[in-house]
Amino acid sequence: MDRVALRGLKARGHHGVFPREREEGQTFIVDLVLGLDTRPAAADDDLAKTVHYGIVAEEVVAVVQGEPVNLIETLAERIAQVCLKHDGVREVEVCVHKPDAPITVPFDDVTVTITRSRV
């Protein structure tokens, strides 16, 4: 399976279990790896035969900016389901970063990474 990756998609969302997270929001960063067969697109040099990563990026940002959830695990699942709706995408790895998580000790990042595929 071939892979198309999008790294560092940034969007502001209001996800989290604490009232401050819901009220003020924070930046979330999303990395995606889409698994698909790129041979048909490459053979015909045809965008319609692959995934349009610009559209995927817009849809993922809309999920992050959309309805708040408590957990980044839930956010990652919603993002994965949006990606799998695209024809040709057979598998997706989603990594959601929450660099401003409400943690009381110094840290660089919090991430949740999931892999989902068509059943």
Side-chain angles (χ1 to χ4, degrees), residues 1 5 9 21 27 29 32 34 39 48-49 51 55 58 70 72 77 79 81-82 89 94 101 116:
M1 194 171 324
L9 295 172
E21 293 178 291
T27 299
I29 302 166
L32 301 173
L34 307 170
R39 289 176 291 191
K49 294 183 178 180
V51 64
I55 291 173
E58 291 171 359
N70 288 332
I72 58 175
E77 185 67 34
I79 291 168
Q81 295 311 312
V82 164
V89 175
V94 178
R116 298 291 182 266

Side-chain angles (χ1 to χ4, degrees), residues 4 6 19-20 39 52-54 58 70 97 114:
V4 173
L6 290 89
R20 182 175 175 201
R39 289 176 291 191
H52 191 310
Y53 51 79
E58 291 171 359
N70 288 332
H97 300 255
I114 65 169

Side-chain angles (χ1 to χ4, degrees), residues 2 14 19 22 29 37 42 47 54 64 75 79 87 99-101 106 111 113:
D2 303 319
H14 294 266
R22 292 293 183 108
I29 302 166
D37 183 358
L47 176 61
V64 175
L75 183 59
I79 291 168
D87 290 339
D100 299 320
T111 66
T113 302

Side-chain angles (χ1 to χ4, degrees), residues 44-99:
D44 295 335
D45 198 26
D46 186 353
L47 176 61
K49 294 183 178 180
T50 188
V51 64
H52 191 310
Y53 51 79
I55 291 173
V56 172
E58 291 171 359
E59 293 173 350
V60 168
V61 166
V63 171
V64 175
Q65 293 173 337
E67 181 183 349
V69 296
N70 288 332
L71 305 176
I72 58 175
E73 291 87 344
T74 306
L75 183 59
E77 185 67 34
R78 288 184 177 180
I79 291 168
Q81 295 311 312
V82 164
C83 293
L84 288 171
K85 288 181 181 178
H86 287 266
D87 290 339
V89 175
R90 294 294 185 228
E91 181 178 275
V92 62
E93 180 181 281
V94 178
C95 180
V96 176
H97 300 255
K98 189 174 179 180

